[in-house]
Amino acid sequence: MHCKQIRILGWDVRLKLRGMLLMSHLPRVQFFSSNPKLDEGFFWATQQARKYIKQNSAVGLWYEAALPGRNAFCMRDTAHQQVGAAVLGLSSHTVNMLQHFARSISASRQWCGYWEIDQDGLPCVVDYRDDDHFWYNLPANFDLLSAAIREYLWSGDRKLVSDSALRYFYQSTVTQYVSAWDKNGDGVPEHYPEYGTRGLGSYNEGTVGMEASVGLDLLAYQHACYRNFAYFIRLTGGGVLEGICQQGAKITLAQLEEEWWDTNSEQYHSIRLADGSFSKAYVDELQVHLLRSNIMLDPKRRAKTLDLVEQIKAPNVETASYIPETLYLYARNQAAYRWLNYLIAPNLNRREYPEVSFAVVGAVTTGLMGISINSVSNTVMTQPRLPQGLDQAELKHVPIYSGWLNIQHQGNRCTQLSYEGEIPLYWQVCFPGKVEMCRTNNRMISPFYIEGLSEEAWSCVIVRVDSGQTVLVETD
């Protein structure tokens, strides 16, 4: 059955958004759906995130990515807020912030940078006293490098390839950084009690995390970094580091699957202690970081971990901000949508934390709408993940490397793309499940099939879209 021509949602829906009186008050990127509360939540997120956009002579373009009021940006928060920032048109801000972190890398700190940089371009005094006494979480280099690659794919900013400080950061992260912190020679950095807060083995900053020699999140982000950087190297010309990264990815994945799974509790251990044993304490948030790293885990273990994450009780707001996008990665659409609504609830404690609003924008874009960008192959891919009860969703004025997009889904069987930009692009439009035919412009096309992270099937076709063109693709 043909789907109806997708319409632009009318003013009756738009004017229900709280605080919106005039069209000029809208942020550049706009979202409208068949759920006005979700629309309102997205509008809140864009307005809240824009409050944190900064510019001054000392740092240049940046946005807050730390505790509100610190006037600073932190490595972990920046890595996570990158996607939402790209959707908000803040790619130049992110690249500038990544450059500041890269320039702070120093051999005197064993190739760590400044964990948190303030509005004057200096390490925050709460985190840094001198090169022997500072706060640092070891997953940060790996997480930040992966964020830089995501940013390059989205924006195509050549600084992310050519800037000498960034290139040194990439290279040192997968070589000197690892060897400097890997004292036992197993290929993974570790923290020991005598280090204090200098090189913590996890992002978790509670008692359990402080005891960690290696956290589950550290191992996961290291593996993801190797895999992502190997891909980045292939995209940008190849080199000897590709082989190093491929080998590192094999080592870290083998450790994870052969050593970290606890058969008794049927979950991955959270932390490894300094003596090599595993703690009996479990930290649910670290399971979220594991899944966010896109690791192709054993299917049964992955399903168990996803079940655990779906049901996390009373997470802190930082952990909660990761959950919707993570569940969407694995096609847990209903649970992801439930957690997305959790994040936009007006009564959410600490909702003003910058990471929350940026994460909402990112989760709607890459999760619910299923948009991914590859500036190198000049490709946009869409994978609609609308839950039951949400019939229609539309994301307008999404900035990408060559212009901007409008994406509209009518259920999960009909998608329309409008594009304005400098060059034609190729749209890989996908629908869940295996279908026999797709239809576009009264033309039938046989799809090809790809597999998602949960081994779910997607049916895809690729169509060329010129600037100024609107294309609709549907399937029965």
Side-chain angles (χ1 to χ4, degrees):
M1 181 178 67
H2 291 256
C3 59
K4 297 177 181 179
Q5 183 73 19
I6 296 177
R7 63 186 177 85
I8 295 175
L9 298 180
W11 283 105
D12 57 328
V13 174
R14 297 182 185 190
L15 289 176
K16 291 180 181 179
L17 298 178
R18 183 176 298 168
M20 188 177 70
L21 299 177
L22 297 172
M23 187 69 169
S24 61
H25 289 176
L26 281 170
R28 177 169 170 75
V29 63
Q30 304 165 37
F31 176 79
F32 307 107
S33 74
S34 53
N35 181 352
K37 288 187 177 180
L38 182 61
D39 301 357
E40 184 176 337
F42 187 88
F43 180 73
W44 162 80
T46 58
Q47 296 297 86
Q48 182 70 30
R50 289 184 182 280
K51 293 178 181 178
Y52 296 118
I53 300 172
K54 307 287 183 178
Q55 180 176 354
N56 59 47
S57 57
V59 177
L61 299 173
W62 65 287
Y63 48 82
E64 287 190 56
L67 286 168
R70 276 200 180 171
N71 289 312
F73 47 99
C74 167
M75 279 188 162
R76 184 195 66 78
D77 300 54
T78 300
H80 189 204
Q81 291 176 215
Q82 172 269 324
V83 172
V87 179
L88 291 166
L90 303 177
S91 286
S92 295
H93 297 65
T94 299
V95 172
N96 179 53
M97 293 156 68
L98 292 171
Q99 288 177 302
H100 275 280
F101 284 128
R103 292 171 193 143
S104 72
I105 297 297
S106 172
S108 64
R109 291 186 295 279
Q110 296 174 280
W111 286 272
C112 295
Y114 295 140
W115 171 249
E116 195 170 3
I117 296 175
D118 68 17
Q119 61 186 342
D120 297 316
L122 301 173
C124 283
V125 294
V126 296
D127 299 319
Y128 178 86
R129 191 172 83 196
D130 56 45
D131 282 1
D132 294 318
H133 304 88
F134 58 89
W135 183 287
Y136 208 79
N137 301 61
L138 290 176
N141 277 42
F142 303 124
D143 196 12
L144 205 68
L145 198 160
S146 291
I149 295 169
R150 289 194 303 270
E151 181 57 52
Y152 178 61
L153 292 175
W154 192 286
S155 68
D157 193 320
R158 292 296 300 177
K159 296 188 196 74
L160 294 161
V161 176
S162 61
D163 181 81
S164 59
L166 284 167
R167 292 174 65 180
Y168 180 71
F169 166 63
Y170 305 155
Q171 176 182 330
S172 63
T173 291
V174 297
T175 54
Q176 294 106 312
Y177 179 71
V178 175
S179 61
W181 291 95
D182 176 24
K183 300 303 182 185
N184 64 12
D186 68 348
V188 178
E190 62 267 348
H191 173 268
Y192 293 99
E194 59 267 27
Y195 295 176
T197 60
R198 192 182 191 271
L200 295 171
S202 172
Y203 272 153
N204 181 271
E205 297 173 354
T207 302
V208 175
M210 296 292 258
E211 293 175 350
S213 178
V214 179
L216 179 62
D217 53 337
L218 170 56
L219 186 61
Y221 282 124
Q222 184 180 3
H223 172 82
C225 173
Y226 282 140
R227 192 187 63 244
N228 293 336
F229 192 44
Y231 172 66
F232 179 78
I233 293 167
R234 289 196 299 275
L235 287 179
T236 55
V240 295
L241 287 179
E242 183 180 350
I244 292 174
C245 290
Q246 289 172 340
Q247 183 62 23
K250 289 179 182 178
I251 290 171
T252 48
L253 183 59
Q255 281 198 29
L256 179 70
E257 293 289 50
E258 294 172 12
E259 302 175 26
W260 282 71
W261 180 255
D262 184 348
T263 55
N264 293 323
S265 65
E266 295 191 298
Q267 62 181 300
Y268 290 94
H269 290 287
S270 294
I271 67 169
R272 179 169 248 161
L273 302 172
D275 65 2
S277 66
F278 289 102
S279 169
K280 295 303 180 183
Y282 293 91
V283 185
D284 290 345
E285 72 175 85
L286 301 191
Q287 309 289 332
V288 179
H289 288 294
L290 170 66
L291 293 171
R292 179 177 179 258
S293 298
N294 302 8
I295 299 178
M296 293 300 291
L297 302 169
D298 173 271
K300 292 182 179 179
R301 297 176 181 181
R302 179 183 62 233
K304 290 278 189 182
T305 307
L306 283 162
D307 290 344
L308 186 154
V309 168
E310 279 193 22
Q311 303 302 322
I312 285 179
K313 304 297 183 184
N316 61 38
V317 78
E318 293 92 334
T319 298
S321 70
Y322 286 98
I323 296 177
E325 64 187 49
T326 300
L327 292 175
Y328 275 124
L329 279 174
Y330 297 88
R332 296 282 183 116
N333 298 346
Q334 292 299 135
Y337 187 61
R338 174 168 56 83
W339 278 102
L340 180 59
N341 280 279
Y342 175 89
L343 285 186
I344 63 175
N347 62 348
L348 176 66
N349 187 37
R350 297 178 61 225
R351 190 169 77 142
E352 73 282 358
Y353 196 101
E355 192 172 9
V356 177
S357 51
F358 281 84
V360 167
V361 174
V364 168
T365 303
T366 64
L368 180 75
M369 301 297 291
I371 300 171
S372 57
I373 310 294
N374 190 324
S375 63
V376 178
S377 62
N378 193 27
T379 302
V380 173
M381 183 164 70
T382 57
Q383 296 173 281
R385 299 187 179 100
L386 274 61
Q388 294 179 4
L390 191 70
D391 301 323
Q392 185 169 324
E394 171 190 13
L395 195 62
K396 300 188 64 177
H397 302 149
V398 181
I400 64 169
Y401 58 93
S402 60
W404 54 267
L405 305 169
N406 294 342
I407 303 288
Q408 303 170 8
H409 297 312
Q410 185 167 303
N412 292 324
R413 287 289 180 260
C414 182
T415 301
Q416 179 174 290
L417 181 145
S418 301
Y419 167 64
E420 294 288 344
E422 299 175 355
I423 56 176
L425 60 80
Y426 293 90
W427 176 27
Q428 180 173 322
V429 52
C430 301
F431 301 106
K434 287 190 174 183
V435 302
E436 293 185 1
M437 298 296 290
C438 294
R439 184 184 302 104
T440 179
N441 297 335
N442 297 318
R443 182 165 59 99
M444 304 300 291
I445 306 175
S446 297
F448 60 92
Y449 307 113
I450 62 173
E451 192 174 83
L453 284 176
S454 283
E455 301 173 313
E456 78 278 12
W458 292 86
S459 302
C460 308
V461 296
I462 297 176
V463 296
R464 171 174 163 150
V465 185
D466 295 321
S467 181
Q469 189 176 9
T470 295
V471 177
L472 185 146
V473 181
E474 60 183 323
T475 185
D476 293 337

